[in-house]
Amino acid sequence: MLIAKYGKGKEKLVQMFEDKYGVKFDSEYRNFLIKYNGGETPKTTFKKGKRQEDVRYLFGLKTEESIEKRLEYFDHKEKGCIPIGEDVFGNYFTIGITDENSGLIYFCDHERGYRKTEIAKSFNDFISKCKSKEINERAKRTVEEREQEMIKNGFADLINEHLKSTWQQEYEKYKDMVQEEVIL
């Protein structure tokens, strides 16, 4: 699995989160938070049997895409798990936090009241079932570079404001993104 991490986490942040919410993460997920602090996972798919889900990102602590933001409306005590990531439709990947399910990974469909379905026996098992493609370097080209290429290749008539806007959005999203293999 490839990730564009949010930055290095801290043991202290993980401990503060656990204390605040009365949970204890298993060592695999703890190590992930400390090493990567979550991150974007573009072009990543989780596959297990017939199940296939796109993984949009894995949450971090004290980040724009944080676990704490999800706990505002996800009852982790009732569900016995905490959101650790999200797919492209807003469904959650969660990790078990009770004595009975510690470290198990679930898929929680928001359209079904976040009903959980077990999808992996551990965080490492989950990561191993996620496959990523590298971001195409073309996505990191500026609008001007793309426009010049289209003109050079004889496709100037296809360039319009909508296409330029799409290129700009893609460029802004990917220009500084660096993917790396998740290794725990």
Side-chain angles (χ1 to χ4, degrees):
M1 169 186 229
L2 298 174
I3 193 166
K5 68 182 181 179
Y6 292 137
K8 193 167 172 57
K10 294 183 174 93
E11 173 77 32
K12 184 178 180 179
L13 278 179
V14 176
Q15 189 62 56
M16 286 170 51
F17 180 91
E18 290 175 328
D19 292 345
K20 181 177 179 178
Y21 292 99
V23 300
K24 182 76 174 158
F25 292 128
D26 72 309
S27 62
E28 291 177 3
Y29 186 62
R30 245 174 170 275
N31 291 339
F32 170 78
L33 285 175
I34 293 167
K35 188 171 181 181
Y36 299 96
N37 196 27
E40 292 189 50
T41 56
K43 301 182 185 258
T44 298
T45 304
F46 168 84
K47 290 182 183 179
K48 179 181 179 188
K50 293 181 181 180
R51 176 177 288 277
Q52 181 172 317
E53 306 291 343
D54 289 332
V55 182
R56 186 176 184 186
Y57 36 69
L58 297 177
F59 304 134
L61 300 174
K62 306 292 182 196
T63 65
E64 178 69 25
E65 298 301 337
S66 73
I67 296 170
E68 286 189 277
K69 285 184 180 181
R70 277 56 193 186
L71 294 180
E72 292 173 12
Y73 53 89
F74 184 91
D75 188 346
H76 69 285
K77 290 181 181 178
E78 176 196 323
K79 298 285 185 197
C81 56
I82 287 201
I84 61 169
E86 192 170 288
D87 74 0
V88 295
F89 300 109
N91 299 307
Y92 290 150
F93 298 97
T94 64
I95 191 165
I97 54 170
T98 68
D99 289 341
E100 295 79 30
N101 73 354
S102 180
L104 293 177
I105 306 298
Y106 299 98
F107 180 76
C108 295
D109 187 331
H110 73 277
E111 292 176 352
R112 295 190 171 146
Y114 292 108
R115 188 188 75 201
K116 61 186 183 187
T117 303
E118 184 182 321
I119 59 172
K121 296 292 182 195
S122 68
F123 188 71
N124 283 345
D125 184 33
F126 171 71
I127 295 297
S128 74
K129 290 177 171 67
C130 290
K131 304 300 178 211
S132 305
K133 294 178 183 173
E134 288 188 34
I135 299 167
N136 186 320
E137 286 303 311
R138 295 183 88 181
K140 297 181 179 186
R141 291 184 183 172
T142 65
V143 172
E144 293 77 20
E145 290 171 324
R146 292 180 189 206
E147 195 169 8
Q148 288 171 3
E149 182 182 13
M150 292 282 285
I151 292 168
K152 178 182 154 193
N153 291 326
F155 297 109
D157 58 317
L158 298 178
I159 299 170
N160 59 43
E161 291 307 311
H162 176 72
L163 185 57
K164 287 181 182 182
S165 174
T166 302
W167 286 342
Q168 185 64 37
Q169 289 172 7
E170 190 173 58
Y171 173 73
E172 290 299 323
K173 181 174 183 173
Y174 295 122
K175 68 180 179 177
D176 298 321
M177 190 174 284
V178 177
Q179 293 173 291
E180 63 181 271
E181 186 76 30
V182 173
I183 300 172
L184 299 175

PDB file of all heavy atoms in Angstrom, residues 148-181:
ATOM      1  N   GLN A 148       0.248  23.036 -23.627  1.00  0.00           N
ATOM      2  CA  GLN A 148       1.296  22.979 -24.653  1.00  0.00           C
ATOM      3  C   GLN A 148       1.388  21.591 -25.274  1.00  0.00           C
ATOM      4  O   GLN A 148       1.543  21.445 -26.488  1.00  0.00           O
ATOM      5  CB  GLN A 148       2.647  23.381 -24.056  1.00  0.00           C
ATOM      6  CG  GLN A 148       2.764  24.844 -23.740  1.00  0.00           C
ATOM      7  CD  GLN A 148       4.024  25.180 -22.950  1.00  0.00           C
ATOM      8  OE1 GLN A 148       4.852  24.313 -22.674  1.00  0.00           O
ATOM      9  NE2 GLN A 148       4.169  26.449 -22.585  1.00  0.00           N
ATOM     10  N   GLU A 149       1.282  20.568 -24.444  1.00  0.00           N
ATOM     11  CA  GLU A 149       1.344  19.188 -24.943  1.00  0.00           C
ATOM     12  C   GLU A 149       0.164  18.886 -25.877  1.00  0.00           C
ATOM     13  O   GLU A 149       0.340  18.270 -26.931  1.00  0.00           O
ATOM     14  CB  GLU A 149       1.369  18.193 -23.775  1.00  0.00           C
ATOM     15  CG  GLU A 149       1.470  16.757 -24.228  1.00  0.00           C
ATOM     16  CD  GLU A 149       1.440  15.751 -23.079  1.00  0.00           C
ATOM     17  OE1 GLU A 149       1.091  16.131 -21.951  1.00  0.00           O
ATOM     18  OE2 GLU A 149       1.752  14.581 -23.336  1.00  0.00           O
ATOM     19  N   MET A 150      -1.021  19.323 -25.488  1.00  0.00           N
ATOM     20  CA  MET A 150      -2.211  19.091 -26.325  1.00  0.00           C
ATOM     21  C   MET A 150      -2.057  19.798 -27.675  1.00  0.00           C
ATOM     22  O   MET A 150      -2.378  19.221 -28.715  1.00  0.00           O
ATOM     23  CB  MET A 150      -3.472  19.583 -25.610  1.00  0.00           C
ATOM     24  CG  MET A 150      -3.857  18.794 -24.371  1.00  0.00           C
ATOM     25  SD  MET A 150      -4.658  17.232 -24.716  1.00  0.00           S
ATOM     26  CE  MET A 150      -6.275  17.755 -25.211  1.00  0.00           C
ATOM     27  N   ILE A 151      -1.571  21.022 -27.655  1.00  0.00           N
ATOM     28  CA  ILE A 151      -1.387  21.783 -28.898  1.00  0.00           C
ATOM     29  C   ILE A 151      -0.350  21.095 -29.769  1.00  0.00           C
ATOM     30  O   ILE A 151      -0.566  20.895 -30.977  1.00  0.00           O
ATOM     31  CB  ILE A 151      -0.977  23.245 -28.581  1.00  0.00           C
ATOM     32  CG1 ILE A 151      -2.149  23.972 -27.929  1.00  0.00           C
ATOM     33  CG2 ILE A 151      -0.506  23.966 -29.847  1.00  0.00           C
ATOM     34  CD1 ILE A 151      -1.793  25.310 -27.314  1.00  0.00           C
ATOM     35  N   LYS A 152       0.760  20.698 -29.167  1.00  0.00           N
ATOM     36  CA  LYS A 152       1.848  20.013 -29.887  1.00  0.00           C
ATOM     37  C   LYS A 152       1.343  18.736 -30.569  1.00  0.00           C
ATOM     38  O   LYS A 152       1.756  18.399 -31.681  1.00  0.00           O
ATOM     39  CB  LYS A 152       2.981  19.688 -28.917  1.00  0.00           C
ATOM     40  CG  LYS A 152       4.140  18.952 -29.528  1.00  0.00           C
ATOM     41  CD  LYS A 152       5.173  18.644 -28.462  1.00  0.00           C
ATOM     42  CE  LYS A 152       5.974  17.432 -28.853  1.00  0.00           C
ATOM     43  NZ  LYS A 152       6.765  16.916 -27.764  1.00  0.00           N
ATOM     44  N   ASN A 153       0.432  18.021 -29.893  1.00  0.00           N
ATOM     45  CA  ASN A 153      -0.073  16.754 -30.418  1.00  0.00           C
ATOM     46  C   ASN A 153      -1.307  16.922 -31.304  1.00  0.00           C
ATOM     47  O   ASN A 153      -1.940  15.934 -31.688  1.00  0.00           O
ATOM     48  CB  ASN A 153      -0.370  15.788 -29.264  1.00  0.00           C
ATOM     49  CG  ASN A 153       0.892  15.326 -28.572  1.00  0.00           C
ATOM     50  OD1 ASN A 153       1.933  15.162 -29.203  1.00  0.00           O
ATOM     51  ND2 ASN A 153       0.808  15.120 -27.263  1.00  0.00           N
ATOM     52  N   GLY A 154      -1.660  18.182 -31.605  1.00  0.00           N
ATOM     53  CA  GLY A 154      -2.757  18.425 -32.534  1.00  0.00           C
ATOM     54  C   GLY A 154      -4.144  18.373 -31.929  1.00  0.00           C
ATOM     55  O   GLY A 154      -5.127  18.155 -32.647  1.00  0.00           O
ATOM     56  N   PHE A 155      -4.258  18.568 -30.626  1.00  0.00           N
ATOM     57  CA  PHE A 155      -5.564  18.495 -29.972  1.00  0.00           C
ATOM     58  C   PHE A 155      -5.988  19.830 -29.362  1.00  0.00           C
ATOM     59  O   PHE A 155      -6.752  19.870 -28.384  1.00  0.00           O
ATOM     60  CB  PHE A 155      -5.551  17.416 -28.884  1.00  0.00           C
ATOM     61  CG  PHE A 155      -5.312  16.036 -29.411  1.00  0.00           C
ATOM     62  CD1 PHE A 155      -4.104  15.381 -29.171  1.00  0.00           C
ATOM     63  CD2 PHE A 155      -6.283  15.383 -30.164  1.00  0.00           C
ATOM     64  CE1 PHE A 155      -3.873  14.105 -29.658  1.00  0.00           C
ATOM     65  CE2 PHE A 155      -6.060  14.106 -30.650  1.00  0.00           C
ATOM     66  CZ  PHE A 155      -4.852  13.460 -30.409  1.00  0.00           C
ATOM     67  N   ALA A 156      -5.524  20.933 -29.913  1.00  0.00           N
ATOM     68  CA  ALA A 156      -5.849  22.264 -29.384  1.00  0.00           C
ATOM     69  C   ALA A 156      -7.350  22.499 -29.330  1.00  0.00           C
ATOM     70  O   ALA A 156      -7.848  23.173 -28.419  1.00  0.00           O
ATOM     71  CB  ALA A 156      -5.165  23.344 -30.218  1.00  0.00           C
ATOM     72  N   ASP A 157      -8.093  21.924 -30.273  1.00  0.00           N
ATOM     73  CA  ASP A 157      -9.542  22.136 -30.335  1.00  0.00           C
ATOM     74  C   ASP A 157     -10.288  21.493 -29.153  1.00  0.00           C
ATOM     75  O   ASP A 157     -11.443  21.827 -28.892  1.00  0.00           O
ATOM     76  CB  ASP A 157     -10.108  21.622 -31.659  1.00  0.00           C
ATOM     77  CG  ASP A 157      -9.811  20.140 -31.886  1.00  0.00           C
ATOM     78  OD1 ASP A 157      -8.666  19.709 -31.611  1.00  0.00           O
ATOM     79  OD2 ASP A 157     -10.722  19.416 -32.335  1.00  0.00           O
ATOM     80  N   LEU A 158      -9.633  20.598 -28.428  1.00  0.00           N
ATOM     81  CA  LEU A 158     -10.271  19.942 -27.277  1.00  0.00           C
ATOM     82  C   LEU A 158     -10.105  20.729 -25.976  1.00  0.00           C
ATOM     83  O   LEU A 158     -10.759  20.426 -24.975  1.00  0.00           O
ATOM     84  CB  LEU A 158      -9.704  18.538 -27.086  1.00  0.00           C
ATOM     85  CG  LEU A 158      -9.925  17.554 -28.237  1.00  0.00           C
ATOM     86  CD1 LEU A 158      -9.265  16.214 -27.915  1.00  0.00           C
ATOM     87  CD2 LEU A 158     -11.402  17.373 -28.531  1.00  0.00           C
ATOM     88  N   ILE A 159      -9.239  21.721 -25.990  1.00  0.00           N
ATOM     89  CA  ILE A 159      -8.971  22.496 -24.774  1.00  0.00           C
ATOM     90  C   ILE A 159     -10.114  23.485 -24.543  1.00  0.00           C
ATOM     91  O   ILE A 159     -10.492  24.236 -25.430  1.00  0.00           O
ATOM     92  CB  ILE A 159      -7.631  23.251 -24.899  1.00  0.00           C
ATOM     93  CG1 ILE A 159      -6.474  22.267 -25.096  1.00  0.00           C
ATOM     94  CG2 ILE A 159      -7.391  24.112 -23.661  1.00  0.00           C
ATOM     95  CD1 ILE A 159      -5.153  22.919 -25.461  1.00  0.00           C
ATOM     96  N   ASN A 160     -10.665  23.450 -23.331  1.00  0.00           N
ATOM     97  CA  ASN A 160     -11.720  24.396 -22.950  1.00  0.00           C
ATOM     98  C   ASN A 160     -11.560  24.758 -21.475  1.00  0.00           C
ATOM     99  O   ASN A 160     -10.699  24.206 -20.782  1.00  0.00           O
ATOM    100  CB  ASN A 160     -13.112  23.823 -23.249  1.00  0.00           C
ATOM    101  CG  ASN A 160     -13.359  22.518 -22.518  1.00  0.00           C
ATOM    102  OD1 ASN A 160     -13.039  22.371 -21.343  1.00  0.00           O
ATOM    103  ND2 ASN A 160     -13.943  21.547 -23.216  1.00  0.00           N
ATOM    104  N   GLU A 161     -12.358  25.664 -20.987  1.00  0.00           N
ATOM    105  CA  GLU A 161     -12.237  26.138 -19.595  1.00  0.00           C
ATOM    106  C   GLU A 161     -12.523  25.029 -18.580  1.00  0.00           C
ATOM    107  O   GLU A 161     -11.890  24.962 -17.537  1.00  0.00           O
ATOM    108  CB  GLU A 161     -13.147  27.344 -19.354  1.00  0.00           C
ATOM    109  CG  GLU A 161     -12.696  28.599 -20.084  1.00  0.00           C
ATOM    110  CD  GLU A 161     -11.233  28.970 -19.813  1.00  0.00           C
ATOM    111  OE1 GLU A 161     -10.819  29.001 -18.633  1.00  0.00           O
ATOM    112  OE2 GLU A 161     -10.497  29.212 -20.797  1.00  0.00           O
ATOM    113  N   HIS A 162     -13.474  24.174 -18.898  1.00  0.00           N
ATOM    114  CA  HIS A 162     -13.775  23.058 -17.986  1.00  0.00           C
ATOM    115  C   HIS A 162     -12.560  22.126 -17.856  1.00  0.00           C
ATOM    116  O   HIS A 162     -12.197  21.716 -16.756  1.00  0.00           O
ATOM    117  CB  HIS A 162     -14.996  22.271 -18.462  1.00  0.00           C
ATOM    118  CG  HIS A 162     -15.293  21.070 -17.619  1.00  0.00           C
ATOM    119  ND1 HIS A 162     -15.803  21.166 -16.348  1.00  0.00           N
ATOM    120  CD2 HIS A 162     -15.124  19.737 -17.859  1.00  0.00           C
ATOM    121  CE1 HIS A 162     -15.931  19.956 -15.848  1.00  0.00           C
ATOM    122  NE2 HIS A 162     -15.536  19.072 -16.744  1.00  0.00           N
ATOM    123  N   LEU A 163     -11.926  21.797 -18.977  1.00  0.00           N
ATOM    124  CA  LEU A 163     -10.750  20.933 -18.956  1.00  0.00           C
ATOM    125  C   LEU A 163      -9.612  21.592 -18.182  1.00  0.00           C
ATOM    126  O   LEU A 163      -8.955  20.954 -17.362  1.00  0.00           O
ATOM    127  CB  LEU A 163     -10.310  20.601 -20.381  1.00  0.00           C
ATOM    128  CG  LEU A 163      -9.167  19.601 -20.545  1.00  0.00           C
ATOM    129  CD1 LEU A 163      -9.501  18.270 -19.880  1.00  0.00           C
ATOM    130  CD2 LEU A 163      -8.859  19.387 -22.016  1.00  0.00           C
ATOM    131  N   LYS A 164      -9.411  22.875 -18.403  1.00  0.00           N
ATOM    132  CA  LYS A 164      -8.359  23.603 -17.681  1.00  0.00           C
ATOM    133  C   LYS A 164      -8.621  23.610 -16.179  1.00  0.00           C
ATOM    134  O   LYS A 164      -7.712  23.456 -15.371  1.00  0.00           O
ATOM    135  CB  LYS A 164      -8.250  25.042 -18.193  1.00  0.00           C
ATOM    136  CG  LYS A 164      -7.628  25.173 -19.558  1.00  0.00           C
ATOM    137  CD  LYS A 164      -7.557  26.659 -19.919  1.00  0.00           C
ATOM    138  CE  LYS A 164      -7.007  26.906 -21.286  1.00  0.00           C
ATOM    139  NZ  LYS A 164      -6.915  28.350 -21.577  1.00  0.00           N
ATOM    140  N   SER A 165      -9.879  23.764 -15.815  1.00  0.00           N
ATOM    141  CA  SER A 165     -10.255  23.761 -14.393  1.00  0.00           C
ATOM    142  C   SER A 165      -9.976  22.386 -13.772  1.00  0.00           C
ATOM    143  O   SER A 165      -9.468  22.281 -12.655  1.00  0.00           O
ATOM    144  CB  SER A 165     -11.730  24.115 -14.252  1.00  0.00           C
ATOM    145  OG  SER A 165     -12.148  23.988 -12.921  1.00  0.00           O
ATOM    146  N   THR A 166     -10.308  21.337 -14.510  1.00  0.00           N
ATOM    147  CA  THR A 166     -10.045  19.968 -14.042  1.00  0.00           C
ATOM    148  C   THR A 166      -8.549  19.743 -13.873  1.00  0.00           C
ATOM    149  O   THR A 166      -8.100  19.170 -12.878  1.00  0.00           O
ATOM    150  CB  THR A 166     -10.632  18.938 -15.024  1.00  0.00           C
ATOM    151  OG1 THR A 166     -12.037  19.170 -15.140  1.00  0.00           O
ATOM    152  CG2 THR A 166     -10.379  17.516 -14.561  1.00  0.00           C
ATOM    153  N   TRP A 167      -7.769  20.188 -14.845  1.00  0.00           N
ATOM    154  CA  TRP A 167      -6.307  20.065 -14.763  1.00  0.00           C
ATOM    155  C   TRP A 167      -5.772  20.806 -13.537  1.00  0.00           C
ATOM    156  O   TRP A 167      -4.906  20.301 -12.835  1.00  0.00           O
ATOM    157  CB  TRP A 167      -5.651  20.629 -16.017  1.00  0.00           C
ATOM    158  CG  TRP A 167      -5.780  19.798 -17.245  1.00  0.00           C
ATOM    159  CD1 TRP A 167      -6.100  18.469 -17.331  1.00  0.00           C
ATOM    160  CD2 TRP A 167      -5.578  20.249 -18.582  1.00  0.00           C
ATOM    161  NE1 TRP A 167      -6.109  18.069 -18.641  1.00  0.00           N
ATOM    162  CE2 TRP A 167      -5.788  19.146 -19.431  1.00  0.00           C
ATOM    163  CE3 TRP A 167      -5.247  21.472 -19.152  1.00  0.00           C
ATOM    164  CZ2 TRP A 167      -5.667  19.219 -20.811  1.00  0.00           C
ATOM    165  CZ3 TRP A 167      -5.130  21.555 -20.532  1.00  0.00           C
ATOM    166  CH2 TRP A 167      -5.334  20.442 -21.355  1.00  0.00           C
ATOM    167  N   GLN A 168      -6.298  22.009 -13.307  1.00  0.00           N
ATOM    168  CA  GLN A 168      -5.825  22.809 -12.172  1.00  0.00           C
ATOM    169  C   GLN A 168      -6.124  22.116 -10.850  1.00  0.00           C
ATOM    170  O   GLN A 168      -5.279  22.072  -9.952  1.00  0.00           O
ATOM    171  CB  GLN A 168      -6.456  24.209 -12.200  1.00  0.00           C
ATOM    172  CG  GLN A 168      -5.936  25.141 -11.123  1.00  0.00           C
ATOM    173  CD  GLN A 168      -4.458  25.451 -11.282  1.00  0.00           C
ATOM    174  OE1 GLN A 168      -3.949  25.589 -12.382  1.00  0.00           O
ATOM    175  NE2 GLN A 168      -3.753  25.542 -10.167  1.00  0.00           N
ATOM    176  N   GLN A 169      -7.323  21.560 -10.723  1.00  0.00           N
ATOM    177  CA  GLN A 169      -7.694  20.849  -9.494  1.00  0.00           C
ATOM    178  C   GLN A 169      -6.776  19.647  -9.270  1.00  0.00           C
ATOM    179  O   GLN A 169      -6.317  19.404  -8.150  1.00  0.00           O
ATOM    180  CB  GLN A 169      -9.146  20.389  -9.561  1.00  0.00           C
ATOM    181  CG  GLN A 169     -10.130  21.512  -9.459  1.00  0.00           C
ATOM    182  CD  GLN A 169     -11.556  21.057  -9.716  1.00  0.00           C
ATOM    183  OE1 GLN A 169     -11.847  19.862  -9.848  1.00  0.00           O
ATOM    184  NE2 GLN A 169     -12.467  22.008  -9.812  1.00  0.00           N
ATOM    185  N   GLU A 170      -6.531  18.900 -10.317  1.00  0.00           N
ATOM    186  CA  GLU A 170      -5.661  17.734 -10.217  1.00  0.00           C
ATOM    187  C   GLU A 170      -4.239  18.159  -9.853  1.00  0.00           C
ATOM    188  O   GLU A 170      -3.606  17.555  -8.991  1.00  0.00           O
ATOM    189  CB  GLU A 170      -5.675  16.964 -11.537  1.00  0.00           C
ATOM    190  CG  GLU A 170      -5.003  15.616 -11.469  1.00  0.00           C
ATOM    191  CD  GLU A 170      -5.183  14.832 -12.750  1.00  0.00           C
ATOM    192  OE1 GLU A 170      -4.781  15.324 -13.828  1.00  0.00           O
ATOM    193  OE2 GLU A 170      -5.725  13.712 -12.665  1.00  0.00           O
ATOM    194  N   TYR A 171      -3.752  19.206 -10.492  1.00  0.00           N
ATOM    195  CA  TYR A 171      -2.408  19.715 -10.200  1.00  0.00           C
ATOM    196  C   TYR A 171      -2.299  20.138  -8.734  1.00  0.00           C
ATOM    197  O   TYR A 171      -1.338  19.772  -8.045  1.00  0.00           O
ATOM    198  CB  TYR A 171      -2.090  20.898 -11.124  1.00  0.00           C
ATOM    199  CG  TYR A 171      -0.789  21.581 -10.782  1.00  0.00           C
ATOM    200  CD1 TYR A 171       0.427  20.981 -11.061  1.00  0.00           C
ATOM    201  CD2 TYR A 171      -0.796  22.832 -10.179  1.00  0.00           C
ATOM    202  CE1 TYR A 171       1.625  21.599 -10.739  1.00  0.00           C
ATOM    203  CE2 TYR A 171       0.392  23.464  -9.858  1.00  0.00           C
ATOM    204  CZ  TYR A 171       1.603  22.853 -10.133  1.00  0.00           C
ATOM    205  OH  TYR A 171       2.778  23.461  -9.801  1.00  0.00           O
ATOM    206  N   GLU A 172      -3.274  20.886  -8.238  1.00  0.00           N
ATOM    207  CA  GLU A 172      -3.243  21.343  -6.842  1.00  0.00           C
ATOM    208  C   GLU A 172      -3.246  20.166  -5.873  1.00  0.00           C
ATOM    209  O   GLU A 172      -2.593  20.202  -4.843  1.00  0.00           O
ATOM    210  CB  GLU A 172      -4.428  22.270  -6.547  1.00  0.00           C
ATOM    211  CG  GLU A 172      -4.347  23.611  -7.221  1.00  0.00           C
ATOM    212  CD  GLU A 172      -3.135  24.430  -6.803  1.00  0.00           C
ATOM    213  OE1 GLU A 172      -2.747  24.386  -5.616  1.00  0.00           O
ATOM    214  OE2 GLU A 172      -2.563  25.110  -7.673  1.00  0.00           O
ATOM    215  N   LYS A 173      -3.979  19.144  -6.201  1.00  0.00           N
ATOM    216  CA  LYS A 173      -4.069  17.981  -5.309  1.00  0.00           C
ATOM    217  C   LYS A 173      -2.768  17.172  -5.278  1.00  0.00           C
ATOM    218  O   LYS A 173      -2.330  16.717  -4.229  1.00  0.00           O
ATOM    219  CB  LYS A 173      -5.221  17.073  -5.738  1.00  0.00           C
ATOM    220  CG  LYS A 173      -5.390  15.863  -4.854  1.00  0.00           C
ATOM    221  CD  LYS A 173      -6.610  15.062  -5.217  1.00  0.00           C
ATOM    222  CE  LYS A 173      -6.759  13.899  -4.250  1.00  0.00           C
ATOM    223  NZ  LYS A 173      -7.994  13.176  -4.448  1.00  0.00           N
ATOM    224  N   TYR A 174      -2.139  16.993  -6.445  1.00  0.00           N
ATOM    225  CA  TYR A 174      -1.032  16.058  -6.534  1.00  0.00           C
ATOM    226  C   TYR A 174       0.365  16.675  -6.646  1.00  0.00           C
ATOM    227  O   TYR A 174       1.352  15.964  -6.511  1.00  0.00           O
ATOM    228  CB  TYR A 174      -1.234  15.126  -7.736  1.00  0.00           C
ATOM    229  CG  TYR A 174      -2.442  14.234  -7.593  1.00  0.00           C
ATOM    230  CD1 TYR A 174      -3.458  14.257  -8.545  1.00  0.00           C
ATOM    231  CD2 TYR A 174      -2.576  13.363  -6.519  1.00  0.00           C
ATOM    232  CE1 TYR A 174      -4.569  13.431  -8.425  1.00  0.00           C
ATOM    233  CE2 TYR A 174      -3.686  12.545  -6.388  1.00  0.00           C
ATOM    234  CZ  TYR A 174      -4.673  12.582  -7.345  1.00  0.00           C
ATOM    235  OH  TYR A 174      -5.758  11.766  -7.218  1.00  0.00           O
ATOM    236  N   LYS A 175       0.484  17.970  -6.881  1.00  0.00           N
ATOM    237  CA  LYS A 175       1.781  18.579  -7.191  1.00  0.00           C
ATOM    238  C   LYS A 175       2.870  18.291  -6.163  1.00  0.00           C
ATOM    239  O   LYS A 175       4.020  18.061  -6.522  1.00  0.00           O
ATOM    240  CB  LYS A 175       1.649  20.078  -7.410  1.00  0.00           C
ATOM    241  CG  LYS A 175       1.286  20.847  -6.159  1.00  0.00           C
ATOM    242  CD  LYS A 175       1.170  22.312  -6.430  1.00  0.00           C
ATOM    243  CE  LYS A 175       0.773  23.023  -5.141  1.00  0.00           C
ATOM    244  NZ  LYS A 175       0.714  24.423  -5.280  1.00  0.00           N
ATOM    245  N   ASP A 176       2.542  18.297  -4.892  1.00  0.00           N
ATOM    246  CA  ASP A 176       3.543  18.081  -3.843  1.00  0.00           C
ATOM    247  C   ASP A 176       3.419  16.721  -3.156  1.00  0.00           C
ATOM    248  O   ASP A 176       4.117  16.448  -2.183  1.00  0.00           O
ATOM    249  CB  ASP A 176       3.434  19.193  -2.784  1.00  0.00           C
ATOM    250  CG  ASP A 176       3.722  20.562  -3.359  1.00  0.00           C
ATOM    251  OD1 ASP A 176       4.628  20.676  -4.204  1.00  0.00           O
ATOM    252  OD2 ASP A 176       3.032  21.521  -2.965  1.00  0.00           O
ATOM    253  N   MET A 177       2.518  15.881  -3.658  1.00  0.00           N
ATOM    254  CA  MET A 177       2.265  14.601  -2.996  1.00  0.00           C
ATOM    255  C   MET A 177       3.398  13.611  -3.267  1.00  0.00           C
ATOM    256  O   MET A 177       3.801  13.416  -4.402  1.00  0.00           O
ATOM    257  CB  MET A 177       0.934  14.024  -3.471  1.00  0.00           C
ATOM    258  CG  MET A 177       0.491  12.817  -2.653  1.00  0.00           C
ATOM    259  SD  MET A 177      -1.165  12.234  -3.113  1.00  0.00           S
ATOM    260  CE  MET A 177      -2.192  13.460  -2.331  1.00  0.00           C
ATOM    261  N   VAL A 178       3.879  13.014  -2.186  1.00  0.00           N
ATOM    262  CA  VAL A 178       4.923  12.004  -2.276  1.00  0.00           C
ATOM    263  C   VAL A 178       4.372  10.728  -1.655  1.00  0.00           C
ATOM    264  O   VAL A 178       4.020  10.705  -0.471  1.00  0.00           O
ATOM    265  CB  VAL A 178       6.206  12.444  -1.535  1.00  0.00           C
ATOM    266  CG1 VAL A 178       7.250  11.344  -1.569  1.00  0.00           C
ATOM    267  CG2 VAL A 178       6.732  13.747  -2.099  1.00  0.00           C
ATOM    268  N   GLN A 179       4.278   9.682  -2.458  1.00  0.00           N
ATOM    269  CA  GLN A 179       3.787   8.401  -1.961  1.00  0.00           C
ATOM    270  C   GLN A 179       4.955   7.541  -1.505  1.00  0.00           C
ATOM    271  O   GLN A 179       6.034   7.576  -2.093  1.00  0.00           O
ATOM    272  CB  GLN A 179       3.054   7.649  -3.083  1.00  0.00           C
ATOM    273  CG  GLN A 179       1.767   8.296  -3.530  1.00  0.00           C
ATOM    274  CD  GLN A 179       1.194   7.600  -4.732  1.00  0.00           C
ATOM    275  OE1 GLN A 179       1.768   7.678  -5.818  1.00  0.00           O
ATOM    276  NE2 GLN A 179       0.091   6.900  -4.555  1.00  0.00           N
ATOM    277  N   GLU A 180       4.716   6.766  -0.452  1.00  0.00           N
ATOM    278  CA  GLU A 180       5.712   5.799  -0.001  1.00  0.00           C
ATOM    279  C   GLU A 180       5.002   4.530   0.451  1.00  0.00           C
ATOM    280  O   GLU A 180       3.832   4.556   0.813  1.00  0.00           O
ATOM    281  CB  GLU A 180       6.586   6.362   1.115  1.00  0.00           C
ATOM    282  CG  GLU A 180       5.845   6.717   2.388  1.00  0.00           C
ATOM    283  CD  GLU A 180       6.758   7.300   3.452  1.00  0.00           C
ATOM    284  OE1 GLU A 180       7.304   6.525   4.241  1.00  0.00           O
ATOM    285  OE2 GLU A 180       6.904   8.535   3.469  1.00  0.00           O
ATOM    286  N   GLU A 181       5.725   3.450   0.375  1.00  0.00           N
ATOM    287  CA  GLU A 181       5.189   2.142   0.775  1.00  0.00           C
ATOM    288  C   GLU A 181       5.030   2.098   2.297  1.00  0.00           C
ATOM    289  O   GLU A 181       5.909   2.511   3.041  1.00  0.00           O
ATOM    290  CB  GLU A 181       6.155   1.034   0.325  1.00  0.00           C
ATOM    291  CG  GLU A 181       5.633  -0.374   0.547  1.00  0.00           C
ATOM    292  CD  GLU A 181       4.582  -0.771  -0.460  1.00  0.00           C
ATOM    293  OE1 GLU A 181       4.637  -0.281  -1.614  1.00  0.00           O
ATOM    294  OE2 GLU A 181       3.705  -1.583  -0.106  1.00  0.00           O
TER     295      GLU A 181
END
